[in-house]
Amino acid sequence: MRLLSILFCILLSIPLFGAVIFQPQPDNLFIVDDFEDADLKKMPEWWGFDDIELSVEPNNLSEFKYLGNRSMSLKGDPKDWYVGGCGTYFGVDVTNYNAIKLVIRGYGSKSGVLIVELFDDDNDNFELEPHPNVSSETLADDKFIHTVKVDWLGWKVVIIPFDRFVDGNLGIGDDIWNPYQEGSSGGLLQMQFVLLAADKTVMPRMLIDVVKLYYQGPIPIKKDERSQYVEDADFF
């Protein structure tokens, strides 16, 4: 597979970014985006790279109980399995959270593969700088990754505890999961979704209804055929 290209966002004004880009947050979780404003350019901004096709689409509310009105669509023609991806900037402290939660719609067994990438700040400057010699790498910050094979039809709740992520750029940064705003560190700087094909002859596509960071406590988790994990409905 050819080298995945990565686009980086450089933040110029930290206080302004934190105050303007994200919607008001509840106490127990951080809503990255629910796409209800139908705008990928603000609150927060999402950028696409390579051959990804990004859009906001209306949901069929009869398909799943916890859906909002809109979702972000990811699709595109693969080249040697790889399509492209999208990203958004955080600059947040995740001390109070231990998992990411997504609501994803698949279109069957060949919907695609979603790589979730999280970047923490290791050189204490609130910026994610690209490596000058390797376009797919950072200069000084860690990249942690987790792969989700989207092979189902319909909606599913996907929970990824932070401890399921693995270091995707060993030797760069401090190789330690520490996305906390201690000292002058920016904490968790950025998230990216990278889309791959499950079959080179089939265009991958999926919808993401909501992206949230939250604390997953030791509550027993019940299995459900329509979600990877089903927990407290109040989360939604």
Side-chain angles (χ1 to χ4, degrees):
M1 184 184 299
R2 71 183 178 87
L3 193 64
L4 303 185
S5 61
I6 294 181
L7 184 66
F8 295 97
C9 174
I10 305 300
L11 182 63
L12 299 179
S13 176
I14 304 305
L16 179 61
F17 192 99
V20 174
I21 295 301
F22 292 100
Q23 58 186 291
Q25 300 293 331
D27 293 334
N28 61 336
L29 55 90
F30 182 84
I31 302 172
V32 179
D33 207 344
D34 56 16
F35 310 107
E36 292 301 284
D37 61 0
D39 192 344
L40 298 178
K41 296 299 183 182
K42 61 181 181 180
M43 297 185 65
E45 177 185 3
W46 292 85
W47 60 84
F49 50 91
D50 293 331
D51 295 325
I52 196 74
E53 297 178 25
L54 292 179
S55 62
V56 177
E57 303 296 335
N59 288 332
N60 181 346
L61 300 183
S62 66
E63 290 183 340
F64 195 53
K65 180 179 179 180
Y66 300 115
L67 289 179
N69 291 312
R70 298 178 178 88
S71 297
M72 180 170 68
S73 170
L74 293 82
K75 64 180 181 179
D77 290 320
K79 295 179 180 178
D80 294 328
W81 304 98
Y82 173 67
V83 175
C86 61
T88 191
Y89 187 94
F90 291 122
V92 298
D93 188 322
V94 300
T95 299
N96 295 326
Y97 315 119
N98 65 2
I100 180 174
K101 195 166 192 175
L102 311 167
V103 182
I104 302 175
R105 191 191 196 285
Y107 290 88
S109 61
K110 298 181 180 180
S111 299
V113 176
L114 186 70
I115 302 176
V116 183
E117 301 180 335
L118 300 177
F119 300 82
D120 67 19
D121 185 10
D122 285 329
N123 60 347
D124 298 344
N125 64 356
F126 279 80
E127 296 181 4
L128 190 64
E129 307 97 330
H131 195 285
N133 300 320
V134 184
S135 62
S136 65
E137 294 295 351
T138 62
L139 175 66
D141 300 312
D142 286 327
K143 174 177 69 176
F144 289 87
I145 64 174
H146 183 83
T147 300
V148 179
K149 184 179 181 181
V150 181
D151 57 0
W152 58 84
L153 177 63
W155 292 96
K156 181 178 285 191
V157 178
V158 177
I159 298 170
I160 313 171
F162 289 154
D163 61 13
R164 298 285 183 88
F165 284 81
V166 298
D167 196 330
N169 62 351
L170 285 169
I172 297 177
D174 61 7
D175 296 324
I176 299 172
W177 172 255
N178 50 5
Y180 315 117
Q181 291 185 344
E182 299 173 347
S184 56
S185 173
L188 184 62
L189 291 181
Q190 186 168 303
M191 169 188 289
Q192 292 188 164
F193 296 132
V194 175
L195 183 63
L196 307 179
D199 183 323
K200 288 195 293 185
T201 66
V202 177
M203 176 188 289
R205 64 168 180 155
M206 59 191 67
L207 297 174
I208 300 178
D209 175 75
V210 68
V211 183
K212 300 180 181 182
L213 307 179
Y214 82 117
Y215 181 79
Q216 179 184 311
I219 300 173
I221 298 173
K222 298 179 181 180
K223 289 285 187 175
D224 181 270
E225 63 180 5
R226 298 192 64 194
S227 67
Q228 182 172 337
Y229 301 104
V230 175
E231 297 185 80
D232 186 354
D234 290 341
F235 173 83
F236 294 92

